[in-house]
Amino acid sequence: FKGQNKAKDRRSNEDVARKALTQQLCPDMAFCGECLFHNPEQCRRGSHDVKEFMAVKLADLGEKCVVFEKIGVCPAGLNCRYGVQHVKDGVNVDKDGKPVTKETRDQYDGLVLGCGIGEVNYVDDVMKQHLRKKTYDFTKAKTAVQAWNKMYKLQEAAKREAGPNPGALAVEDAAEAPAAEAAVTAPAGESAAPAGESAAP
């Protein structure tokens, strides 16, 4: 609708988002206790002070974290408002009670921070940097495209050498034969009935 998403509205939304970040930990800090941003000093995804965060964290909304019960670990970590089950002494733990660390975070299959469980349409920060700087190695993709193009050209060349499809011509000839025969045998002054129709008595 006309008039929506004005500049002042966008600024208001941005202010709310910034305020929310000040009330949360960096996603990596909340999950495994260490920021994994390519340059942690420039990370603006939330606070990095766990003790300060835990001191002012809002009370939990419940005692049951459904994500934790479903996959055995909660990707929200210390930021979770249902963290009674997996936040122990300011540390995020898995279903076995073991702290989630930088070294163990990758053992949880199908889990990507900021991405829905089981979702595969996700590009991590490292990949984004390679794509933006055009440094990603597309050798495998280029090889596959070249192989496909070569196969396509061979198929097209084979079609041209074979000429028209003999089978298709045979079907067309068979369809035209009854009409041609009727035209030859029809009495003078009478037209043959169209193929598939009977002549009037």
Side-chain angles (χ1 to χ4, degrees):
F1 294 101
K2 186 176 181 180
Q4 284 190 334
N5 298 319
K6 293 183 179 178
K8 63 179 182 179
D9 296 328
R10 291 195 297 272
R11 284 195 294 270
S12 177
N13 293 337
E14 291 171 357
D15 291 340
V16 172
R18 292 193 188 96
K19 183 178 180 181
L21 284 178
T22 62
Q23 298 173 345
Q24 290 189 334
L25 280 174
C26 158
D28 291 329
M29 292 293 297
F31 183 58
C32 64
E34 184 174 349
C35 181
L36 303 180
F37 196 64
H38 63 276
N39 188 346
E41 294 182 357
Q42 297 181 0
C43 178
R44 298 293 183 270
R45 299 176 296 166
S47 172
H48 290 71
D49 191 328
V50 175
K51 291 183 178 180
E52 180 181 347
F53 169 77
M54 294 301 295
V56 299
K57 181 184 177 182
L58 297 175
D60 282 351
L61 300 175
E63 298 181 354
K64 182 179 180 181
C65 177
V66 293
V67 177
F68 176 76
E69 292 190 346
K70 178 68 176 179
I71 64 174
V73 66
C74 177
L78 305 185
N79 285 328
C80 180
R81 295 290 301 279
Y82 299 85
V84 176
Q85 293 174 295
H86 56 81
V87 177
K88 307 297 181 184
D89 298 325
V91 177
N92 187 36
V93 301
D94 61 16
K95 62 181 179 180
D96 297 322
K98 297 179 180 179
V100 180
T101 65
K102 177 182 177 180
E103 289 71 30
T104 64
R105 69 191 302 271
D106 294 331
Q107 73 184 29
Y108 306 105
D109 296 335
L111 174 63
V112 179
L113 293 184
C115 183
I117 304 302
E119 184 176 334
V120 296
N121 186 22
Y122 174 80
V123 181
D124 60 31
D125 292 336
V126 175
M127 177 66 73
K128 289 177 183 177
Q129 290 291 329
H130 282 304
L131 293 175
R132 287 169 181 163
K133 296 180 180 180
K134 298 182 179 180
T135 57
Y136 184 78
D137 184 7
F138 283 103
T139 301
K140 185 182 293 186
K142 290 180 179 179
T143 301
V145 171
Q146 291 172 355
W148 189 92
N149 287 336
K150 182 178 180 180
M151 180 183 68
Y152 176 77
K153 291 179 180 179
L154 291 174
Q155 290 177 342
E156 291 298 305
K159 289 180 181 179
R160 289 194 296 270
E161 292 178 1
N165 188 342
L169 291 178
V171 172
E172 292 177 0
D173 293 341
E176 295 175 357
E181 182 179 352
V184 172
T185 58
E190 297 182 8
S191 59
E197 298 181 10
S198 60

